[in-house]
């Protein structure tokens, strides 16, 4: 019997409960594929599960964490036609949400075990092919952060050329939104507390960068630079604490994309009849495939700031919690 490394965390009990152990390599059954995972990435959602910030989000008492990874199919069970041995793939974030607008609550690294392990058995239909133009590590940035940004920019209000997009912060969702929106012909404003991060965002095409620490009235500064109510879509990873400022910047027909809770509860708790508020629930396999094709077509290279080995997963979590990163934090699963 062969064994693999696998991480677990006690849901809601904190980062220090992460444990790395050895378990048997599973085998695929009918309709399933065994994937040897090589790279993974973290999302703020992993912190939410670790700390229990949203009750019921994580499987209890423990869960294999992380929702985003890439690797190679090494075996398939009877009846599999979607993928073959040797295919490079990414498991999608919500394995049973293949198409349609209604999200499926069964998501990796939360309600069901995730990808912080060296091998995983997946329903073959939940695998998206990874094009040769993207590395495994780049592919591992796609299932949650990039797809969330893609859905915010395309699902409810298609982004138009010359639209102004406002992305808060320089984490995975914000940087993916910057790269995708620029490829769509939009203009992008970015806020951050770090001039160094803003310089990196500018190198990726950001048109307007505002340090909200040195410019507390960042909304006024943005309005002064662009005019009254200039924003077509706010990529809101901060939450309700910025709702009023965000809402006051959105033009008629614009959208506030409620994505995160870095600073408070989610924006949709502060909904307003005057604001088109769009809660973003990542996306389905069909959207994942459309996004991947767009990324390849426009030669977008996802940004990974630093990579940790699986044995140092707790350190990767602490780095994520610190906020001292740009884009994504990767995990080497080899």
């Amino acid at each position: 019997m062969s064994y693999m490394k696998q991480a677990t965390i006690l849901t809601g009990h904190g980062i220090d409960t992460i444990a790395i152990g050895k378990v048997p390599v599973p085998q695929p059954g009918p309709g399933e594929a065994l994937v040897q995972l090589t790279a993974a990435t973290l999302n703020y959602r992993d912190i939410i599960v670790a700390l229990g910030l949203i009750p019921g989000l994580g499987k209890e008492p423990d869960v294999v964490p992380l929702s985003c990874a890439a690797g190679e199919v090494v075996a398939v069970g009877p009846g599999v036609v979607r993928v073959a041995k040797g295919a490079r793939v990414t498991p999608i974030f919500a394995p049973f949400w293949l198409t349609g607008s209604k999200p499926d609550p069964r998501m990796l690294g939360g309600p069901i075990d995730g990808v912080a392990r060296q091998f995983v058995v997946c329903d073959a239909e939940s695998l998206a092919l990874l094009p040769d133009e993207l590395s495994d590590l780049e592919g591992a940035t796609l299932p949650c952060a990039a797809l969330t940004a893609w859905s915010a920019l395309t699902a409810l209000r298609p982004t138009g050329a010359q639209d102004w997009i406002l992305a808060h912060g320089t984490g995975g969702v914000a940087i993916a939104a910057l790269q995708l929106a620029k490829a769509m012909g939009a203009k992008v404003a970015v806020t951050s507390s770090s001039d160094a991060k803003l310089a990196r965002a500018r190198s990726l095409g950001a048109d307007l960068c505002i340090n909200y620490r040195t410019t507390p009235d960042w909304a006024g500064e943005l309005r002064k630079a662009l005019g009254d109510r200039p924003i077509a879509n706010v990529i809101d990873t901060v939450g309700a604490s910025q709702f009023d400022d965000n809402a006051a910047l959105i033009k008629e027909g614009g959208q506030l994309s409620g994505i995160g809770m870095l600073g408070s509860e989610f924006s949709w708790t502060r909904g307003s009849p005057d604001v088109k508020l769009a809660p973003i629930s990542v996306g389905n396999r069909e959207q994942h495939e459309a996004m991947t094709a767009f990324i390849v077509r426009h030669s977008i290279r996802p940004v990974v700031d630093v990579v940790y080995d699986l044995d140092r997963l707790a350190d990767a979590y602490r780095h994520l919690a610190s906020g001292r990163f740009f884009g994504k934090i990767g995990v080497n699963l080899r």
Side-chain angles (χ1 to χ4, degrees):
M1 180 180 293
S2 55
Y3 289 82
M4 66 175 182
K5 286 184 181 180
Q6 173 178 283
T8 57
I9 188 168
L10 292 177
T11 299
H13 290 270
I15 294 169
D16 290 338
T17 67
I18 292 173
I20 311 295
K22 286 198 171 183
V23 298
V25 174
Q27 295 302 311
E32 296 177 334
L34 176 64
V35 181
Q36 183 173 8
L37 298 173
T38 57
T41 62
L42 278 72
N43 299 282
Y44 186 70
R45 175 178 172 273
D46 299 315
I47 296 288
I48 293 174
V49 172
L51 300 182
L53 300 180
I54 299 179
L57 181 61
K59 181 172 73 68
E60 296 183 349
D62 61 10
V63 64
V64 177
L66 308 190
S67 58
C68 300
E72 179 180 326
V73 175
V74 292
V76 296
V80 171
V81 295
R82 179 168 177 80
V83 295
K85 184 178 179 180
R88 298 176 63 240
V89 295
T90 54
I92 63 173
F93 176 75
F96 305 100
W97 187 17
L98 306 183
T99 188
S101 60
K102 185 178 180 180
D104 189 296
R106 295 168 290 179
M107 302 167 187
L108 296 175
I112 58 179
D113 282 331
V115 293
R117 43 183 160 173
Q118 294 178 313
F119 292 85
V120 64
V121 167
C122 302
D123 187 305
E125 293 300 313
S126 72
L127 297 174
L129 294 176
L130 181 60
D132 289 340
E133 289 85 352
L134 296 171
S135 70
D136 287 3
L137 185 58
E138 290 171 329
T141 70
L142 304 181
C144 185
L147 186 55
T148 298
W150 174 263
S151 295
L153 294 169
T154 65
L156 299 174
R157 183 193 182 281
T159 300
Q162 303 306 308
D163 274 350
W164 271 96
I165 307 299
L166 171 58
H168 287 299
T170 55
V173 173
I175 295 305
L178 165 60
Q179 293 179 287
L180 292 167
K182 291 300 297 183
M184 294 170 185
K187 296 183 180 297
V188 181
V190 175
T191 66
S192 171
S193 63
S194 164
D195 286 338
K197 291 181 181 180
L198 289 173
R200 293 184 69 178
R202 195 172 291 110
S203 74
L204 292 173
D207 299 278
L208 177 63
C209 294
I210 300 174
N211 186 319
Y212 63 79
R213 181 163 294 161
T214 58
T215 307
D217 184 17
W218 57 267
E221 183 71 13
L222 196 151
R223 193 177 291 108
K224 183 169 67 175
L226 302 180
D228 189 47
R229 305 186 74 88
I231 301 300
N233 197 337
V234 176
I235 309 302
D236 177 25
T237 56
V238 176
S241 62
Q242 290 189 171
F243 184 88
D244 292 335
D245 282 331
N246 286 329
L249 291 168
I250 297 172
K251 70 179 186 180
E252 184 176 355
Q255 173 177 302
L256 197 162
S257 299
I259 291 167
M261 52 177 291
L262 289 172
S264 60
E265 58 195 359
F266 286 95
S267 290
W268 52 79
T269 64
R270 285 284 313 278
S272 164
D274 300 324
V275 176
K276 181 181 178 182
L277 181 59
I280 305 299
S281 299
V282 190
N284 58 38
R285 189 187 75 186
E286 186 175 58
Q287 291 169 301
H288 183 116
E289 291 175 330
M291 170 196 66
T292 303
F294 181 89
I295 286 171
V296 169
R297 187 162 63 248
H298 291 273
S299 301
I300 295 172
R301 306 312 301 255
V303 178
V304 179
D305 197 40
V306 63
V307 179
Y308 290 83
D309 286 337
L310 181 59
D311 288 336
R312 294 187 60 201
L313 183 60
D315 290 333
Y317 268 74
R318 294 185 186 100
H319 194 166
L320 177 66
S322 76
R324 296 192 297 271
F325 64 95
F326 183 91
K328 298 288 288 179
I329 295 171
V331 179
N332 172 32
L333 299 176
R334 295 181 189 274

